[in-house]
Structure formats: C-alpha cells, structure tokens
Amino acid sequence: PRPAATPSIGAETHVRHSGLAVCSLRLGSKYLKFSQPGGHMAIHAGVEPEVRFIAATPEFKVCDIPGNSPLEIRAALVRQLIASGFLEAVA
C-alpha cells in the first residue's frame, strides 16, 4: 500500500503527537539526534529549541513553535515528523 500523502503544512496547521509517540533527544556538536521506535534522524543543532518544543508539546500549531528559524524550516520539521509517524495532523 502507498503511504498517506503528507498534508500541506502552513503556519496554522494544527498537529499533535501520534498515539504511540515517544522519542529521545541527544545533542552532539553539530546535530541533534532525534530517536524514536523504528528509527532516528540527525537534525541540525541550530533548530534545537524548535525540536525540543515539538517533542515536549503534545498538541500545537506550527506558528506556536518557538525559535529563530523561518516558518519554512518549522513547517519542514513538522512535515518530516508527520512522515515519521511521530506527529499527526488534527482535522
């Protein structure tokens, strides 16, 4: 079966942790290691505040994510975490 299409992500996109979302974060010199059952991602350390917010906040809108990164970066993080199964869009 084909995976579900990732929805369009914008500032007002409302997301939440999936029912089985669990992760751990480890900061290296250049990358933040985001680990979850079934895999892990190396994410640039420059977006650590954004990733820590996403990991700690069960439900939010993309525009609520703190940090200095542009909206496009925050949306890309959310899109990647939806694709990984950590987040899901709220209808």
Side-chain angles (χ1 to χ4, degrees):
R2 274 181 73 140
T6 303
S8 176
I9 306 296
E12 293 300 315
T13 301
H14 189 182
V15 295
R16 66 178 167 225
H17 290 178
S18 67
L20 301 175
V22 62
C23 72
S24 69
L25 301 172
R26 284 190 318 177
L27 183 60
S29 60
K30 294 183 180 181
Y31 295 99
L32 181 64
K33 185 175 180 181
F34 183 97
S35 299
Q36 65 186 71
H40 63 273
M41 292 178 264
I43 302 171
H44 192 280
V47 292
E48 180 184 3
E50 292 86 335
V51 175
R52 290 201 181 274
F53 174 86
I54 291 169
T57 309
E59 192 167 325
F60 57 91
K61 289 183 180 179
V62 173
C63 63
D64 297 333
I65 301 171
N68 295 321
S69 63
L71 176 61
E72 295 80 18
I73 298 297
R74 289 180 264 164
L77 285 169
V78 167
R79 190 176 306 108
Q80 183 66 33
L81 291 170
I82 288 173
S84 79
F86 184 79
L87 293 175
E88 61 189 18
V90 176

